[in-house]
Structure formats: structure tokens, C-alpha cells
Amino acid sequence: MGRGGLGELEHQVMLALLHLGEDAYTAPIVAELEERTDRTTTLSSVYIVLRRLEEKGWAASRMQPVESGRDRRIFEVTEEGLERLREERRAFERLWEGLDSLLEARG
Amino acid sequence: MTRSGRRWLEIAERVVPAEDRSWLLDELERMWTYRADRHGAAAADAALRREVLKFAGLRLRDPARRRLEEVRRGMGELGREVRTAVRSLRRAPGFAVVAILTLAIGIGANALVYGLVDGVLFEELPYPNSERLVRVWAGELAGAAEYDYIRENSTTLAEAGAYATGIGVNLEGGEEPVRLTGAAVTRSFLDLLGTPLALGGGFTPGADRPGGPDEVILSHELWASRFGEDPEVLGRSLQLDGRTHAVVGVLPPPHDFPSAQDDLLLPLRLGPEVSGLGTYWGGIAYSIVGRLAPGATVERVTEELRAYTGGPLIENNPIWTPENNYRETSRVVPLQEALVGDVEGRLWLLLAVVGIVLLVVAANVGNLLLARGMARRRDMAVRAAIGASRWRLVRTQIAEGLVLAAAGTVLGLGLALLALEALRPTLMEMLPRVAGVSIDPGILAVTAAVAVVVGLGAGAIASVRGVGQSPALLMRDADNSARGGRQRLSRLLVTAQVAAAVVLLVSAGLLMRDLAALGAIDPQFDPEGLVTARITLAEGRYQSPEAQWQVLDRVRARLGSDPALEEGTVAGAIPFGSGPELSVAWVDGFTSNPNALPVVARWRVTPEYFSTLGIELVQGRLLEEADMEGGAPVALVDETAVEEIWEGASPIGSTIRQFGPDSPGATVVGVVRAVRTAPITADPRPGWYLPLSQSTTSAAWIVARPRGAAGDGLEAIRAAVDAVDSGTPLSESGAYGTRISDRVAETRFLLVVLSGFAGVTLLLGGLGVYGVTAYSVRRRAREFGVRMALGAGARGIRTEVLRDGLGMALGGSILGLILAIPATRAIGAFLLQVDPLDPVAFALVPFAMAVATLFAVYLPARRATRVDPVEVLRGE
């Protein structure tokens, strides 16, 4: 996966970040993914992806003070990341064009 | 969070990327809670385990990070291992406390005994060239004559000195007279030792010759207690036994020769003029020390002394000298050896005992670590999986062993220091040179070395298993994959512990039997209910024998009329007190060879002596009051004398003389039973009794039978003495029985020490049996559960567990009994009455061991049958 490519888990994690907003800590991300995709994943995988997204500049993080507890690392999608998501969505939409009837008929 | 979850989180701490550790662990914990809420704790645990393994794998894939880690690891390896060990021990306080206490006992005992061995046996005497100092025995009963002869004629000794110990004097001038003990020494004695005094120049020339000035050298302690370390003490004087003694010196502290208990040194005055017949020649045995002449050896001195046989010493001797006296009984021994002579064996024995205890302690702690290691197999497995080398895993175990040993050493040394101070007064009575023993840096070093070895040993034992197996195998459920390996090693260790306990128990049993046998020896008189005290008259005040006897006779009359006493007596010597004088005797018509006269014990007594001590009359009559008031001199003899001198014939009417045919004689009027005296195991020497009035003494014994308590009796004695001369102090007062039991104090001391350590090893062995059995029961809980579910009886299972534990004890006992056979040979030297292979001691110990084992395995056995099959199967 090169600099330009967006892996499936990367894609999903960025979407989860957007859903969670101010709650985008690592454990809630895992929970969000598991609930929305109905598949299990691991915190370690998510952690690796988050770090990779940061390296690519699509996500950013900072330590955030939390009442009654230690600081937590919170993640968010960068402008560049948002742009990449939009691009990805357009690519998928183009791919999906004209397939709606087919899917509905078989499903 | 579950325990397993917590454990995985601890592992995670070590495998997650260090830079994100601070927050990542929290997230993992939250994740666990989230999963536990949804899917249950077990699922959360499993998921956490997957997380940890994944993080571990992540690290493995990152070569740069791994290199960095290795460097960092190399840097802080030791510190980190130690910190890790401390942290993990703090999480198991019960285990840590037991292990540290166990180690402290083992290490503390070793530090103490090693300190004693070092201080008593190896520490050089505090004199210049002390290896050239020797103790000299010039024939049996060497007296002043031998000493003078050696000083004048010896070519192998550069200098010789004589001393006599246990001299009691009364220090007067204070409110109450005080009884002090000291030694009398010749001037040359101090010169030849070569130690400068702390103060003063010592005895003036001639002080140790008849008619010399009265002088005294103070011990450092007496100087401190009586004079507050006054530097002006020289020239002041002490009132001793009614005579004024000038203080001419202060000994340096601590001194332990002639004896650590000496309060002062007096000049020992020797010479034919004062000593007279029977003391100058062959009468009183003085102790002689010498300094080897240049080039001389112990052997050469011995040869020289032996050559005295047939020389002028025998020719000039006016009384008695066996022909072979010097040839057969002369002995020369390095002073250091002579001082520690008979205690050396005892100290080595103690060292061996604490060594055994230490081995048992190491085995025990090793076993504890081993059991702990099993609980951490998964931890180990993960660490192995993420690339920790086997060496590194071993190192973790060893670090734990070392941390425990270090803590045990600190505690053990503290215990040893406390024990040394607490025991020092007792030890000083039993061992020489104890005053100077300390736990010094040398001992600290040895103890630390011992601790390192024990720590390494215990850690190594623990790491033998568990690190050699493949991670895959270890990853599987630890309890089920733990097959026989650990069990076999544990069993071996426990068996060895039981064997060690058996060896010590047999030894202690032998001493106990010996003590019982000693107690059963009949001393041939009855000390029961008697009290004794020693009275020493101030010689300055009562110089003539008549004056001394008058005082003693008045004390005697007071004792006789005191309503608090049934009876009381005054005597020159009593059995187990200061012994009777030994000298040769001449019996008209029964002895003929002046060179082969019998050595007899001379008891100077009063008529009521025999009834008070319960000494039976066998033939003739006892002493009577008339015998005390002049008239024809009479004597009694004992049965041993009748047997050896009269060879069974009646001695009544014979004339017995001290020393030889020209000495004054006494007519034998009766025969009494022979009493035993110290040492109680020795056969009684021939003895004879004569009236105290005819040959009196300034140092006498008082024996009384109180009607009431022993304290009242002693008070009555005190009152009787005070009524006659209130300036006379009493010493060595107490119940008569303790005088005799003190004589077996050595055996009792060894017994107490050995039983103590035997008890400790027994306890450790029992704990070992318990631990292994309990572990095995836990491991087999499922099996037991299933078997019981299938109808197996609780009894069968209980028996199986019991048999299992008893098997270990049996194996250990058999091994221990085999090892005890050579071991008891070492203890045999200390047994006075009992055979080292005493069957009772050998038979009782396995019995005791079996009882102890039953206690140890009872709980696990019961637990085995309380297993609920349903519970166990559900847990799987």
C-alpha cells in the first residue's frame, strides 16, 4: 500500500473518527468499528492503523486531559485526510454507478 | 478485572511501544471492560491476550526498534532485573515474607556461627608474634619447682611464665565488700606475652617472689567501674583481703587470657620459701606458658621436657614423682590451640549444622521460587515468544533469588547481631575468646558471598524447568501441560530436606539421650534441697590457721543453731565445688615404692558434713566433735581408696600420711561411700577425709539444708557469716543441684542449639511436603473430581494423597538415617554416655518424622476429597 493508497481498515478507522468526533479515543474507535461493521477487530490493529494514518498526514492526534484520570490520546481526521476520503468516495461511487438494480434483484 | 486480565495487562506493559505506553495501557483496560460487559470476562481475557501477542509481534517486525531495545536493555539490565524482581515480589507479599524469613534464619545462623569460628579459632591472639607462644605441661601436677627449673635451664624456651586462675579476693573499702575474681601471674608472664599495658609498668621486680610488695593490675572493666577510667589511678591502692595493694597497671581491653572474667591480676609468688612442701614440689599445678627461643619448635621443647625424667628434678624432689612422669605426661601446645583446644570440635560441629540448615533453606526457597515460576509460565512463554533468550529468562529467576537473598541477608545479619549480644554472656562461660567476637567486615563479606551463592542456587533451581521448553508448549494452558518435571525436582528437594532434618533430629536425639543418661548418674551423695555458698576470709585479718579455724567454727555453730536450717556444715572442698586437693598419700604397711604412690583426693570436713550431704558410712565411725578439738589425728577413707590402696583389706587402724613416710600421719577410723565429683562421668579417685580444724583454709564452702525455701537457706548462711564477720563476702551461692547440672551445660547447650536447628529444618521439610502435596492436589483436582463423579470413594482418594506425601517422608527418612550414621560419628565426640548408634534415637526419629508428615499432608488430603466435580468440570 503506497502513499496514495487507502486500505480498508484505514478507510473504516477514518470514518469512525468522523462519527466519534470529540470521543475519538482508541478504545471507542474499536467499539465503533465493531458495532457498525459487526466484525471483531483488535485495538492493536487499530493502533497500528492510526499511527500509519498519522504518518501519511491523514490523521492527527494530541493528548487531551480527562477529568478523573490520566491524559488520553485523541485522534481526528486532517483536512488532507478529509480530501482523501472524498476522493475515495467518488471513486467508489463511480464504480457503483449502474449496479444498483443488479444488487437489488439478486439480494 | 480478572486476575488473568491483570496479568496480561502486566505483560502488555512490557510489549507495547514504549512511547505510547502511558495511554495505550488505559485504552487496553477500557477495551477489556467494554468486552467484558458484552461478552463476559473470559472472552475479554482472551481478547486481551490476542492484543498482547499482536503487540509483541509488532515489536518483532521492527528491526530498528529491536536494536534500540537491545542497547537499552544492555544498559539497564541489572537495575531493571532487580526492579522487576522487587516489583513482582511486592505483588506476592506472602511468598516474599516466607522466603525472606527462611533465608534470614539460614543466613543469620551462619553469620553468627561463622563469626564465632572466626573470632575464637582463627583470630590471632592479640600478642606480638603470638604464634611463638606455647602452653607447657611439664609432667603431671607440674608445680612451682618445674616452673623455676624451666626458667633457669630451658634452652628451647626464651621465657616462661606461670599463672593460676580463679583466684577470689575480697575488695574492701566500699560500703559492702565485693568478691572479685582474678588470676595470679608471675612478672615474666606479662613480659613474655609482650602486650603493653593500657596504663602503668606492671609488677615491680621481686613482686612475684616471696616477701615482695603487694601489687595489683586492674582489668579495663574494673578500672572503668571502680575508678571511672581515672588516669591518675596508678599509685592509688586497693584493700584486698585485708591487705593494701598498690595499683601498678591497667590491662588493655578486651583481655581474654588467662580468662575474660578476670577483674584483676595479682603477683603469683613462687619459691620454696613460701610455697613449702607439697606446693613447691608437685603439689599445686600452676599453668605454665612460654615463648619459643629463636629456632626452637614445639617438638624440641617437648623433647627437652621429656628428658627431665631421670634428671635433677626427680632426684631433688623430696616427695613424689613417678619415674616416668616427665616422659609420659609432658606436653607442649601452641597457646592459641591450647586456649581453644576442646571447643574447636564443638565449633566445627556448629558450623556443619548451620551449613546443613543453609542448604535446606536454599532448597526450600528454590522450591518456593519453582512453584511461583509455574504460575508464571505463560508470562515466560510470551517473553520467550517475543525473543527473550533463555539466558534472559534464567536471569529473571536468578534476579529474584538474589533480591530475596539480599533482603534475607540484611534481616539475617540483624538477627545475628541481636543473638550475639544476647548470647554473649552465656557463650563466654562456655567458649574462650568470645568477648572479642564481633560481626566484622570479613564476616559481612563471607555472609554476602553465602547469600549470593544461596540466591543463585535458589534461582537456578527455579529456572531449571520452565525455560527449556518451547514457547508453543508453554503457551498451552500451564497447569495442564505441567507434567512430572517440576514435580520430580520438587520431590527431590523435599526428600533432601527431610533427610537433612532426620540427620539433625538423630543428632539432637542422641544428645537428649545423653543428657538423660548423665542425669541418671548417681553422684553417691544427695544434693537435693541443699544450698551452698563460698566464703573467703580476708587473709590480712586472719593470718594464723588457728584464727581462720575459729572464724569457720563460729560460722558452723551459728549454722547449727539457726532454726531456719535443718543442718549445715563448713568444708574445705565439696563435690562439684572447688575440687578436693590432689596429692600423693603414704599408708604405713600398704605403700612401699615412693615413686609409685597413689594420687588421692583430700577432703577437709567437719563431723556434720556427712549427714548434710548424705554420704553413707560403710565401716567404723564418722568424725566426731572430739576429733575437731586436738587429740590424736584421725581420718576417714572412702571405698575407692580401700579398693585401690588396701586392696579390700580393712583400713581401720592404718596410718595415712600426705606426701610420704616422713609426713605427719592420721589414724583411719572409718570408711564412707566414694562420691563422684566433676566431671561426673569420671570414676571417683581414692579419697580421704580429715578434720578441717587440723588443716584449715581461708577459702571454705558452706553447705546447708534449709527447712523452707532455698532463698531462706541462703539468707541464713548470710546471717551466720555476718554475725561472725560482716566484712566477709559470699560467692557462688545457690542451690547445690545447679552446681551439678552446670557440669552438663555443654551437652545441654549443644542440645539446645541442635534441637533448635533440627526444629527449623523439620518445619521447612514439613512445609516442603505440604507445598508439593498441596500443589499436586490442586493440579489433579479435575482428575479427583471426575473420579469421584464416577463413584470413587473419598477414602481412597484421601489415602492416595496421604500415601503420596508419606512416600516422600519415608524416602527422606531412609536417606537421612543412612547419612546419620557417619554424621553421628562427628557428634560421638560429645557424647559422654550414649553410643553414637543408639537405637532409641535412631528409631524415634522416623516416627517423629511420620507424625510431622501426617500433619503436613492432612490438609491437602482433605481438600482432595472436598473437590466438587461439577465445579471442576465447569472451570475447564
Side-chain angles (χ1 to χ4, degrees):
Chain A
M1 214 179 309
R3 159 96 197 164
L6 179 61
E8 188 194 359
L9 193 56
E10 290 175 343
H11 194 167
Q12 291 177 357
V13 166
M14 280 164 78
L15 294 177
L17 285 180
L18 293 173
H19 275 292
L20 286 166
E22 279 307 296
D23 284 324
Y25 310 107
T26 317
I29 298 169
V30 178
E32 183 77 14
L33 285 174
E34 290 195 348
E35 267 162 42
R36 286 187 185 266
T37 64
D38 209 16
R39 281 185 297 183
T40 55
T41 183
T42 61
L43 190 137
S44 38
S45 319
V46 171
Y47 165 79
I48 295 163
V49 166
L50 285 167
R51 281 310 195 195
R52 201 183 298 140
L53 288 174
E54 278 192 285
E55 275 171 35
K56 290 177 177 172
W58 296 338
S61 74
R62 65 196 145 82
M63 291 306 286
Q64 177 162 309
V66 175
E67 272 174 57
S68 70
R70 270 178 296 196
D71 292 1
R72 297 182 74 174
R73 186 162 288 275
I74 187 163
F75 293 86
E76 60 180 354
V77 181
T78 59
E79 270 309 314
E80 205 180 324
L82 274 178
E83 185 48 44
R84 185 69 187 80
L85 274 178
R86 287 187 202 106
E87 215 175 87
E88 194 73 6
R89 178 168 180 168
R90 282 196 292 275
F92 271 99
E93 276 169 357
R94 282 196 293 278
L95 283 167
W96 275 109
E97 258 170 45
L99 295 176
D100 290 355
S101 57
L102 188 69
L103 271 180
E104 271 159 28
R106 298 240 173 129
Chain B
M1 201 165 193
T2 61
R3 258 187 66 199
S4 155
R6 196 94 357 256
R7 215 158 68 206
W8 283 110
L9 211 55
E10 278 160 21
I11 301 170
E13 200 175 332
R14 273 172 259 168
V15 296
V16 298
E19 65 272 21
D20 291 324
R21 194 177 292 145
S22 67
W23 56 275
L24 208 41
L25 290 173
D26 287 344
E27 299 296 331
L28 279 170
E29 196 175 339
R30 285 197 180 85
M31 208 58 234
W32 185 91
T33 313
Y34 168 80
R35 292 209 158 104
D37 282 349
R38 285 165 178 254
H39 312 293
D45 285 347
L48 184 53
R49 178 178 147 193
R50 282 196 302 276
E51 300 279 13
V52 171
L53 294 179
K54 185 125 190 217
F55 273 118
L58 176 69
R59 258 153 77 109
L60 278 183
R61 280 204 302 271
D62 187 339
R65 178 169 289 146
R66 203 160 72 176
R67 262 200 308 282
L68 191 73
E69 275 291 299
E70 262 165 25
V71 172
R72 196 182 300 157
R73 210 181 290 159
M75 300 273 284
E77 255 169 20
L78 183 66
R80 201 151 57 143
E81 290 292 359
V82 168
R83 269 198 307 281
T84 311
V86 170
R87 200 161 354 119
S88 82
L89 286 173
R90 277 177 58 180
R91 280 196 300 265
F95 161 80
V97 165
V98 169
I100 288 171
L101 276 181
T102 309
L103 283 164
I105 290 170
I107 290 173
N110 273 271
L112 180 61
V113 173
Y114 181 74
L116 284 177
V117 168
D118 185 56
V120 174
L121 297 185
F122 298 135
E123 188 77 16
E124 263 193 28
L125 295 175
Y127 311 115
N129 297 322
S130 61
E131 74 286 351
R132 309 284 298 162
L133 295 172
V134 290
R135 180 87 161 72
V136 174
W137 284 268
E140 200 183 4
L141 301 181
E146 278 84 0
Y147 165 68
D148 272 352
Y149 189 84
I150 288 169
R151 272 204 82 191
E152 275 162 36
N153 299 294
S154 175
T155 54
T156 52
L157 290 175
E159 179 59 290
Y163 64 94
T165 53
I167 311 269
V169 289
N170 301 336
L171 172 62
E172 292 144 4
E175 290 191 0
E176 284 266 310
V178 186
R179 185 84 185 147
L180 298 178
T181 33
V185 304
T186 59
R187 202 165 167 267
S188 57
F189 174 88
L190 289 172
D191 290 345
L192 84 95
L193 291 185
T195 320
L197 295 174
L199 211 61
F203 299 128
T204 51
D208 61 347
R209 278 289 155 187
D214 284 326
E215 295 176 344
V216 62
I217 294 174
L218 310 177
S219 74
H220 207 272
E221 294 78 15
L222 187 66
W223 182 44
S225 63
R226 294 290 296 195
F227 297 97
E229 302 203 5
D230 178 7
E232 304 292 311
V233 72
L234 295 179
R236 289 175 64 177
S237 59
L238 291 185
Q239 212 46 34
L240 297 172
D241 280 348
R243 295 165 74 106
T244 307
H245 287 65
V247 176
V248 294
V250 174
L251 287 172
H255 73 285
D256 39 27
F257 179 63
S259 158
Q261 276 97 342
D262 290 336
D263 299 310
L264 40 77
L265 296 185
L266 295 165
L268 177 61
R269 297 204 174 112
L270 298 175
E273 315 89 296
V274 273
S275 312
L277 198 66
T279 45
Y280 189 70
W281 288 103
I284 292 172
Y286 295 105
S287 307
I288 301 174
V289 283
R291 186 176 277 280
L292 295 178
T297 59
V298 165
E299 291 73 28
R300 296 244 340 260
V301 182
T302 315
E303 275 167 36
E304 188 181 275
L305 294 176
R306 289 187 175 160
Y308 290 170
T309 294
L313 260 177
I314 286 195
E315 281 165 25
N316 295 339
N317 194 331
I319 47 168
W320 153 84
T321 323
E323 281 161 15
N324 288 326
N325 180 27
Y326 299 111
R327 186 177 303 141
E328 283 172 7
T329 53
S330 290
R331 219 150 54 86
V332 180
V333 175
L335 184 58
Q336 173 145 0
E337 214 178 298
L339 282 181
V340 300
D342 53 335
V343 307
E344 188 171 354
R346 231 173 308 156
L347 283 174
W348 286 121
L349 181 75
L350 277 186
L351 199 61
V353 168
V354 293
I356 293 176
V357 172
L358 191 64
L359 287 181
V360 171
V361 161
N364 205 275
V365 173
N367 225 344
L368 283 173
L369 281 172
L370 196 55
R372 214 173 116 66
M374 288 314 294
R376 299 193 308 177
R377 282 164 76 93
R378 284 207 199 152
D379 176 6
M380 295 284 230
V382 171
R383 294 180 59 191
I386 62 175
S389 65
R390 269 176 204 176
W391 162 233
R392 193 176 151 76
L393 298 181
V394 169
R395 211 168 45 193
T396 306
Q397 295 281 0
I398 285 179
E400 210 158 271
L402 286 178
V403 167
L404 288 174
T409 306
V410 172
L411 189 62
L413 278 174
L415 289 179
L417 277 171
L418 287 180
L420 179 61
E421 289 324 312
L423 293 176
R424 199 190 292 272
T426 318
L427 289 172
M428 271 169 73
E429 284 170 23
M430 267 173 280
L431 300 172
R433 312 192 65 198
V434 172
V437 168
S438 61
I439 306 285
D440 60 24
I443 291 155
L444 286 182
V446 170
T447 309
V450 166
V452 167
V453 171
V454 170
L456 286 179
I461 289 171
S463 44
V464 168
R465 305 296 310 179
V467 298
Q469 293 173 15
S470 78
L473 191 63
L474 288 166
M475 295 284 228
R476 296 221 307 265
D477 192 348
D479 276 358
N480 281 340
S481 63
R483 282 289 155 232
R486 181 203 104 98
Q487 281 274 305
R488 223 175 301 129
L489 182 62
S490 280
R491 274 159 185 281
L492 216 60
L493 287 172
V494 169
T495 306
Q497 286 176 37
V498 170
V502 165
V503 170
L504 292 184
L505 281 173
V506 169
S507 307
L510 283 171
L511 285 170
M512 211 179 293
R513 294 263 302 151
D514 199 42
L515 209 56
L518 285 174
I521 296 179
D522 182 359
Q524 300 293 336
F525 69 98
D526 183 18
E528 194 66 36
L530 295 180
V531 292
T532 64
R534 199 169 190 198
I535 167 177
T536 311
L537 303 176
E539 277 185 37
R541 238 173 306 160
Y542 310 103
Q543 286 180 341
S544 71
E546 292 75 22
Q548 291 175 2
W549 166 242
Q550 268 173 17
V551 173
L552 296 179
D553 198 29
R554 275 160 59 203
V555 170
R556 189 177 149 237
R558 286 260 163 191
L559 294 172
S561 63
D562 193 317
L565 301 177
E566 243 169 70
E567 51 192 337
T569 185
V570 176
I574 56 173
F576 301 95
S578 56
E581 296 158 58
L582 297 181
S583 70
V584 291
W586 175 272
V587 178
D588 294 359
F590 287 90
T591 49
S592 50
N593 182 357
N595 286 330
L597 292 178
V599 176
V600 296
R602 193 173 76 134
W603 305 87
R604 294 173 290 177
V605 299
T606 50
E608 61 281 2
Y609 178 85
F610 302 95
S611 60
T612 309
L613 271 76
I615 298 174
E616 284 172 50
L617 178 71
V618 179
Q619 194 188 346
R621 67 167 176 91
L622 291 171
L623 294 181
E624 287 164 5
E625 207 51 48
D627 300 327
M628 309 302 289
E629 297 153 1
V634 294
L636 304 180
V637 295
D638 68 19
E639 284 182 312
T640 311
V642 172
E643 214 169 282
E644 292 189 11
I645 301 172
W646 285 271
E647 291 170 345
S650 170
I652 307 287
S654 291
T655 304
I656 183 168
R657 303 166 196 276
Q658 193 180 14
F659 306 132
D662 303 330
S663 320
T667 309
V668 176
V669 296
V671 178
V672 293
R673 282 228 185 288
V675 297
R676 281 180 185 270
T677 185
I680 196 164
T681 48
D683 288 329
R685 276 180 189 271
W688 65 302
Y689 295 81
L690 73 166
L692 182 59
S693 57
Q694 289 175 19
S695 171
T696 198
T697 172
S698 62
W701 288 87
I702 297 172
V703 183
R705 180 178 302 280
R707 289 184 199 281
D712 300 342
L714 290 172
E715 218 149 279
I717 291 178
R718 175 80 262 172
V721 172
D722 277 349
V724 175
D725 180 357
S726 63
T728 306
L730 293 175
S731 58
E732 305 192 47
S733 51
Y736 205 147
T738 59
R739 302 202 66 83
I740 300 174
S741 53
D742 282 353
R743 302 293 170 153
V744 292
E746 280 183 13
T747 307
R748 194 176 314 113
F749 171 72
L750 274 181
L751 173 63
V752 167
V753 172
L754 258 176
S755 334
F757 286 130
V760 169
T761 44
L762 182 64
L763 185 71
L764 292 179
L767 279 177
V769 172
Y770 167 79
V772 169
T773 315
Y775 177 78
S776 138
V777 165
R778 210 163 48 233
R779 197 169 58 87
R780 294 171 65 189
R782 179 168 188 253
E783 177 203 325
F784 290 143
V786 170
R787 278 167 56 184
M788 274 163 64
L790 293 177
R795 192 153 168 213
I797 286 175
R798 200 158 48 218
T799 312
E800 195 179 317
V801 175
L802 283 178
R803 200 190 299 136
D804 196 38
L806 285 175
M808 264 183 291
L810 186 67
S813 294
I814 292 172
L815 183 65
L817 287 179
I818 293 170
L819 291 174
I821 293 171
T824 51
R825 203 159 293 166
I827 207 133
F830 306 99
L831 296 176
L832 302 171
Q833 294 284 298
V834 174
D835 186 77
L837 295 179
D838 181 59
V840 177
F842 271 79
L844 276 180
V845 166
F847 180 72
M849 206 63 231
V851 172
T853 314
L854 274 180
F855 272 110
V857 295
Y858 174 71
L859 275 182
R862 213 180 53 170
R863 202 178 304 136
T865 58
R866 298 270 163 94
V867 171
D868 179 355
V870 181
E871 199 61 36
V872 170
L873 294 178
R874 190 183 296 146
E876 281 298 307

